[in-house]
Amino acid sequence: LYRKNWRAAKYVDRTHYQALEEVKTTREMLSSGAQGPLKKHLDLLVKMLLLRLQPKDYQEYQKDRSLNPHGSPAYQATVKAAETYYEAAQQRSAAMVQNLVNRMGRTPGYTVLVSGGFHTQEMADALKARKMTFVVITPRVTVLDQDEAYKARLREEE
């Protein structure tokens, strides 16, 4: 799942500029009339192409996916890769919870899981549903300088 997620992110990172230009053109055409659901969906689409959605945002995007502009084949491939990225991320969240539960069943004492921000809410919800006790520790971030480090990691070869 990690490799699927990683490959999709690499593809989106390489191709999202063209896709964003197509969305920008659509937004400009509709700017005066794009209100409510369409405007909100286009905003979510932009965030998705930048790989900056949270799980609830992605669920909302999926509900109104039919509002996606029909663009070039390159645009459509980038949107599909971004969707693959988020679907794999959701699958990874579920797998991490299952692995955590399995480990806790075999190991007495405390178990610690460290994960990234996207996974936190989905994993917390899954643990709550299982009525498990857990703590989420979130660092206080005052400078968001990880974008370039993340993108550099995506550009690395497998």
Side-chain angles (χ1 to χ4, degrees):
L1 286 174
Y2 174 78
R3 287 189 186 277
K4 180 180 181 181
N5 193 228
W6 184 67
R7 283 186 197 107
K10 279 182 71 168
Y11 184 85
V12 172
D13 185 54
R14 282 192 317 267
T15 62
H16 74 278
Y17 294 108
Q18 180 184 348
L20 286 169
E21 280 301 314
E22 291 190 39
V23 173
K24 180 181 175 186
T25 301
T26 302
R27 289 172 88 179
E28 288 170 354
M29 274 188 343
L30 301 172
S31 64
S32 61
Q35 299 298 321
L38 180 57
K39 181 180 182 328
K40 188 169 187 169
H41 182 74
L42 291 175
D43 291 344
L44 288 172
L45 179 59
V46 168
K47 283 177 70 175
M48 183 179 76
L49 291 170
L50 293 171
L51 301 180
R52 292 194 174 145
L53 291 179
Q54 289 297 311
K56 289 184 182 188
D57 294 331
Y58 185 63
Q59 289 172 357
E60 194 168 331
Y61 162 82
Q62 287 177 307
K63 278 190 321 187
D64 293 325
R65 189 176 180 284
S66 63
L67 296 175
N68 277 2
H70 297 284
S72 69
Y75 159 83
Q76 291 177 16
T78 302
V79 169
K80 179 64 180 152
E83 291 171 348
T84 298
Y85 170 83
Y86 283 103
E87 289 159 12
Q90 289 176 323
Q91 292 169 353
R92 287 177 61 212
S93 294
M96 285 188 278
V97 167
Q98 189 58 52
N99 290 342
L100 176 70
V101 170
N102 292 345
R103 177 160 176 98
M104 290 173 70
R106 293 188 315 249
T107 308
Y110 299 101
T111 302
V112 176
L113 171 68
V114 178
S115 74
F118 179 85
H119 304 285
T120 303
Q121 190 59 53
E122 285 186 325
M123 291 171 47
D125 291 345
L127 294 172
K128 281 180 197 173
R130 294 173 186 245
K131 299 189 183 326
M132 297 178 74
T133 302
F134 65 94
V135 175
V136 173
I137 300 172
T138 305
R140 183 173 170 206
V141 178
T142 57
V143 177
L144 195 56
D145 62 350
Q146 296 301 308
D147 244 13
E148 286 309 310
Y150 180 68
K151 287 181 180 181
R153 173 69 178 111
L154 292 178
R155 290 185 195 104
E156 290 177 12
E157 295 300 316
E158 290 184 50

